[in-house]
Every structure is written in C-alpha cells, then in structure tokens.
Amino acid sequence: MADDKLTRLASPESAIASYLDELLHTATDTALREEVVAPQKPAEKPAARPEPPQILREKPAVAVRPMVRQAPETSMPEPKVVATPEPEPAAPPSRPEWSEQPFECLIFTVAGLQLAVPLILLGAIHRIEEEIRPIPGSPRWYMGIRPDRDQNLRVVDTAEWIMAGRVPPDARDNYRFVIRLDNSDWGLACDDVAQSFTLKPDEVRWRTARSKRPWLAGTVIDQMCALIDVRTMADLLVRAEREHHLDLS
C-alpha cells in the first residue's frame, strides 16, 4: 500500500496536481501564509538617564582660566540627544494598475497547469515553428533564443521557471507557442492558448503580499487558475539574467 502511494505521488500528474494545490493555496490563503506580521519587539527598558559630564578642576577652591599657550579655549559641548528615527512602515504591495477596471484575460496551459495573463500586457503570441536556439551554460529554465526579423526573443521554459522540481520529463516536447511579455525581450513557452475573456476585478482573489512567488498576482476564481503579474515576471527574469551572467546577445 505504501509503495503504491509513493508511485502515485511520483507520477507527473500527481506532481502537477500537488503544485497546483500549493499554488492556489498560496494565492487564496494570504492572510495565513503571506501576510506575515513582523513580531513585536519586547518592550525595551527605558534608557538610563545619562550622567551630566563631570568637569575636572585642578584646585576646587580656585577658578582656573585656560592659558593661551595651551589648547584653544573651547566651551564644554552639551550632551547631544540623538533621536532614534522611527522605522518607515513597509508599503503594502499594491495591485497592478490594470486591475482597477474590467480587463481582457487569456488563459494558457503549461504542463497541465492553467495560467492567465492580461491581454493589455501581452506583447504577441508566436508559434514555435523552428527549434529554439539554446545558449551554452544557461540554467534549466532558459530555453534559448527565438530568432525573429524584428526582435530576438528570450524564451523561458515556463514549467521549469514556475514548477522547478515538479516538471514532467517530457514537458518541453509539448511547447507549441511563445507568449511575449509586454514589450520586453522575454517570452513564456506554453502548450496551448485559449480564447480571451473579460474579467472583473472582483472575480479575482488578489494577493495582498508577494513575499513568495511575487509574479503571482492572484487567482481567477471561476477558472481557478493563477493570474500572472506580467511586469513583475519580466523584472524577475531580467534580474535572473544578470545573476547568471547570461550572454544572450
């Protein structure tokens, strides 16, 4: 019985289902898992009142004036009271600006996982007709370059980027499209794309914190799929490119 259970958990379908459950739980249960309240610091003991500086006198009964040939006369500096600046409150993550009004949305699939992207930030959809040119020494999530007469597109293995460690072995073989992120040089490889539809803001369960998976803007309630924050995703890819010192020219 235990061996059967392990076999089921090791299958690609179970890995995808497990990841989808975790992904949706991350997006929908932010109050418990994402909104981590900073622990209260223990009440600090009041600082001891500083003792007034002692003025040393050579002869208590005689007032001594400083001599000219000694150090220049200076007045005893008054003790400075250094005010501890109040820490600035962390700015709460704001929802994307496109989320304030109804917006068109496109669902696409990656290794059995459904993801959604706002059409307003979808640069283009390219069909994979030729092999993506790989870059030697690149990380697993980076497929390579898709040459184009207008712009070379950096193609991301979306399953590896999003589901690292839980990717079915043949996931890359099923990619047929590349979705370009806004006007960036990055594109997400995917299996298939569906028709677009209109989403109202209240039809999305928005995340209020982005400490984990910052690219995840929220969950589309009816379709129960993850909604991508396109600009954050593109920024993360640019940062990863710098960290890995990728030569993508």
Side-chain angles (χ1 to χ4, degrees):
M1 180 69 69
D3 292 340
D4 293 341
K5 184 176 181 181
L6 290 175
T7 302
R8 290 197 301 272
L9 291 177
S11 68
E13 293 80 5
S14 297
I16 294 171
S18 173
Y19 179 76
L20 179 58
D21 289 342
E22 180 186 342
L23 192 68
L24 297 178
H25 185 64
T26 299
T28 57
D29 195 20
T30 56
L32 296 177
R33 308 236 354 197
E34 291 293 333
E35 295 178 349
V36 180
V37 179
Q40 294 287 341
K41 292 185 179 179
E44 298 182 357
K45 296 182 179 180
R49 180 173 298 178
E51 295 292 335
Q54 296 181 354
I55 302 177
L56 301 179
R57 301 178 184 275
E58 295 181 3
K59 295 181 179 180
V62 181
V64 180
R65 294 186 177 182
M67 300 182 65
V68 175
R69 60 174 176 269
Q70 293 182 356
E73 181 179 1
T74 57
S75 59
M76 181 64 66
E78 296 182 359
K80 295 183 179 180
V81 179
V82 179
T84 303
E86 292 291 335
E88 297 183 1
S94 58
R95 279 169 38 179
E97 65 278 5
W98 43 263
S99 69
E100 301 302 325
Q101 302 293 332
F103 58 94
E104 291 292 309
C105 188
L106 178 75
I107 289 182
F108 62 98
T109 58
V110 175
L113 186 68
Q114 281 195 333
L115 301 169
V117 60
L119 281 181
I120 191 173
L121 293 177
L122 193 155
I125 299 176
H126 303 277
R127 184 178 292 273
I128 299 178
E129 297 176 341
E130 299 179 3
E131 183 180 1
I132 305 296
R133 178 163 56 88
I135 301 296
S138 59
R140 290 177 60 88
W141 55 264
Y142 185 73
M143 287 184 64
I145 296 290
R146 179 189 181 276
D148 190 83
R149 59 185 178 185
D150 298 325
Q151 180 183 26
N152 290 335
L153 202 60
R154 294 156 162 81
V155 181
V156 176
D157 185 331
T158 313
E160 284 287 351
W161 176 261
I162 293 179
M163 304 169 57
R166 313 187 194 192
V167 183
D170 60 345
R172 189 173 289 194
D173 297 337
N174 297 321
Y175 290 150
R176 296 192 299 155
F177 299 94
V178 175
I179 296 178
R180 180 183 169 194
L181 300 176
D182 199 17
N183 60 353
S184 71
D185 296 332
W186 294 95
L188 303 180
C190 66
D191 303 343
D192 205 357
V193 294
Q195 291 183 339
S196 62
F197 59 98
T198 302
L199 267 181
K200 297 178 182 178
D202 59 2
E203 293 175 334
V204 177
R205 187 171 288 112
W206 301 99
R207 295 178 71 196
T208 56
R210 302 286 189 90
S211 61
K212 188 178 182 181
R213 299 189 182 96
W215 54 265
L216 181 57
T219 306
V220 181
I221 298 172
D222 288 344
Q223 285 77 12
M224 288 304 291
C225 66
L227 179 62
I228 291 178
D229 185 334
V230 171
R231 287 173 179 162
T232 300
M233 176 77 86
D235 290 343
L236 291 171
L237 290 167
V238 170
R239 188 185 310 170
E241 177 184 359
R242 289 198 302 263
E243 291 175 354
H244 287 277
H245 305 289
L246 299 179
D247 183 10
L248 307 180
S249 56

